[in-house]
Amino acid sequence: MSDKQATVAAIDGGTAKAGPEVVIETRTLSKVYRDFWGRTKVQALKALDLQIFRGEVFGLLGPNGSGKTTTMKLLLGLLFPTSGEVYVFGRSATDVSKNERIGYLPEESYLYRFLNAEETLDFYARLFNMPRSVRRQRVADLIEMVGLTWAKKRPLKEYSKGMTRRIGLAQALVNDPDLILLDEPTSGLDPIGTREMKDLILRLRDQGKTIVMCSHLLADVQDVCDRIGILYQGELKELGRVDQLLALKDITEIRVPRMSSEAEREVKAVLAKHGLDVLAWGNPTTSLEDLFLRIIRESEEHPGLRVHGRGDGHADRN
Amino acid sequence: MDEVTDMPIETDLPEFATWILPALGKWLLAGLALLTLCGFVGLLWCLLLYRERGWRRFFQELLLGGFVDLVLISGRRVGALAWLTVKEAIGRRVTVVVLIFLLGLLFAGWFLDPTSTEPHRLYLNFVLGTTNYLVLLLMVFLAAFRLPSDIQNKTIYTVLTKPVRTVEIILGQVLGFIVVGSLILGIMWLVSYPFVVRGLYHTHVVNVDELRALGDPVKLPDGTTATALQGWTAPTWQHRHRFFVDVNGNPRVDMERGHFHNVTVVKTSDGKTSYVLGGPEGQLVARVPIYGRLMFRDRGGMDVEKGISVGDEWIYRSYIEGGTEAAGIWTFENLRPEAFPGETIPVEMNIGVFRTHKGDIERGILGSLLIRNPENGLTVELQVFESKEFNILELQIPKTIRKFSSARFVQRKFKAADGSIQYSPAQPVSAELLSRSEYDFFKDFVVNGKVEIWLQCLESGQYFGMAKPDLYIRAGSRSFFGNLFKGYLGIWLQMVVLVGFGVTLSTFLGTPVTLVSTLGVMIAGLAHRFMMQIVTGELYPEVETPWRGGPLESLIRLILQEGVMTDLPQTAGTAVAKAVDAVLILWMDLIAQIIPPMDRLSLIDFVSYGYNISLGLLAVNGITVVGYLIPLVIVGHFFLRSREVAG
């Protein structure tokens, strides 16, 4: 069993059974937004108790105004708690030195649009006090990793949204952080970019990094997160492992390749003999994302391939 | 006696050595008061916003964390943030300001009148004044937009989530703006010098045939005879110079409108002599004045700190009464013979005149200049001069004094600490010394580098007004180019202090409010002396109320049509008005103490009036700016640190 599996296995419903390092901890964390006169405008977060462990991908879900972004900003020290505590790597979130080990990708890539990609990454690397030679190598590696080598001299104001997200991600990784906070990481990305982002998240997790993301795109969360927390009106309503939370324990699914009609009849007979109703029987569908990525891959392999629409609303490919 | 039409700087110049310690004490006191005030407001604010967690938020996170941050400043991070500020400023097209300046210079040539009596001052005031306002306004706008737009665009999120201390953000911005401003000022300095020199350039033609003989022919050592010549140059820019050629054939022109021209003798192929004049000289100068300590002697001959007030006059000058023993006594120190290589010691003065009767208005008031040995009391009257208002008189004290009207023994009379009248020196000077017909300035009057120069008004019923910088010994001249640079350094210092205010204000105010506030600081700073005069009552010293009247009292006087000297009726309304005015004046006093003295930082007058800016003055101004910058950066750091930028 790998370290990561050991860590994940030790987590159950948000409570560590033994040993894994706690990266983020909040204790009855609350945030009240007040107006100039100190009157309560809104209570954005109510007594949040949460622990996030090293090496896991944690998803924070919830509708608009549920407190996801407020939690994220409290973790980053961009907001200060009204009551309760928040610790990152065992230090108060208001302690700037914790940022040495953190990478943050905001929802919109809030970058300086007059800088080019190289200048942007070099600037953020300097904020980590990196010497010039280290910076130069790190910047080149990151630009290559996010596939922007061809556009590294162009100012960011000329970048598309997808390109801006990529450079935003690169700046979040400039210090090779142990904890990465991603706010809507796949927002604004096309399906290829989305897949690449998800693959990257899993790769980072495999490197032992901790990732906290909040997203509206539940499918993306489901694909990459080990654990999730669901917030609603500032309160934590659900917390646990994704596979356990989503498992329908009283329904059994069997997947078999190339089942013959004879075998199908026999299986149905056995089920009927035991008095079990078959709720669904058929071929599973692939996801739209997989279909899209397959078509793109085939199109790259066969550039002449195109679709002709038929009168019945379907298409022939030739 | 030469007369030039330059005025010195009418302000009390601080001396570094005497200024630094009291200033440091005042600064520490003000810093402590500011810290206490900010701490108190900050604590209240934290308790209001964070309630029971407020104490911890204030003492641990804000105060302790804030001071720890101050010692963990990283030069690389500050450099990165400064670089970002410069890049953004360039992105915001600050270079346009340089273009506006260059365009201004192009068109200014049409409007600046070189035929005026003092064209050099016109040109210098235009160039330095334009630079001053352009750069200051540019900095106000840049500083007001930078941080608020970072917060509004949320780009600050990606910076604050790195290990960046808020003090580094403030320092980075201040440094960045200073770099931008320095580059712009540097360009303006380099461009303005040739602009002024070229703008003032002119020459004159000398028609040899129009020169007339001056005196009889003189026999030269080689046996030939020659005659001195005189005449006028041809007019250019509505003036001409008197032209002389001495018997040895050496030509020269007289000073006119503050300048002269060097003359080159050219022999033509047919053996004739012609004279070619170069460009104007002596206009763009940087005179080095040596200032003395000024004391007064009252009409009874007693030493006093100040002269008399002549009523509604600027309090800057103290007056002495004519036809009495009253005198202004300047004591100069550290005079060394090697500092004066010429035959004379030049003294320049600008004396205010107050006439109690008109007299002959065409003629100046007569005064006399005396020198006195501070040790033995030997005093000689060197010159009687005619003073005119607003003009510098240039007098020469010869090193070997042969011409003087009287030599006498003069005692200083003063009141000792125990109240008794003391005389200095007690013993009279020897009769031998008094009877001499020739004195040596340095041997007979200067003791350990110390000498006294006395000024008296000779006409009874008339008054001379004087302040410390009004009479000085001119030690020589420095490079004008260097002085122009120092003038730009003055603008640079103004810019630095304004940037400090702009950046600090932007840590807790939005763009429009920061813009208006920084502009307010700039305007109030440029009128700082006026504000201080109102606050201290110096502006209307004759009005005796402690707060010298205020807006409400003035309004009542306007309505009642009462002058400022008359007492108002003692009603409840006037009492309330006076009380409100007293609070307002206290408030204004506080503002005046906080606002930087930007008018004092401006050194434009020194450059345009042709006075060298001393390193001591630059040091005083530089330290003043640092004194403002340090608390501004610290306050800005705590403001930004306490702020929820994502709130």
Side-chain angles (χ1 to χ4, degrees), chain B residues 135-212:
Chain B
V135 170
L136 291 189
L137 282 174
L138 173 73
M139 286 301 139
V140 168
F141 277 85
L142 283 179
F145 277 92
R146 178 76 182 80
L147 192 58
S149 71
D150 246 17
I151 293 172
Q152 201 177 359
N153 301 334
K154 298 179 180 172
T155 39
I156 194 99
Y157 289 11
T158 48
V159 174
L160 280 179
T161 49
K162 307 285 182 286
V164 173
R165 273 82 194 173
T166 45
V167 65
E168 292 165 344
I169 295 178
I170 310 285
L171 279 176
Q173 293 197 4
V174 169
L175 278 181
F177 289 135
I178 289 175
V179 169
V180 172
S182 305
L183 289 175
I184 291 173
L185 276 175
I187 294 170
M188 289 174 169
W189 167 55
L190 291 175
V191 172
S192 62
Y193 181 72
F195 170 77
V196 172
V197 171
R198 279 191 65 85
L200 295 175
Y201 183 84
H202 70 278
T203 185
H204 300 262
V205 174
V206 177
N207 190 343
V208 179
D209 298 334
E210 288 179 6
L211 297 177
R212 296 282 167 265

Side-chain angles (χ1 to χ4, degrees), chain A residues 31 85 112 124 129 171, chain B residues 56 76 150 158 162 644:
Chain A
K31 179 65 191 173
E85 302 301 330
Y112 294 97
Y124 289 113
N129 228 346
Q171 70 78 28
Chain B
R56 187 176 155 199
R76 190 175 275 138
D150 246 17
T158 48
K162 307 285 182 286
E644 293 188 325

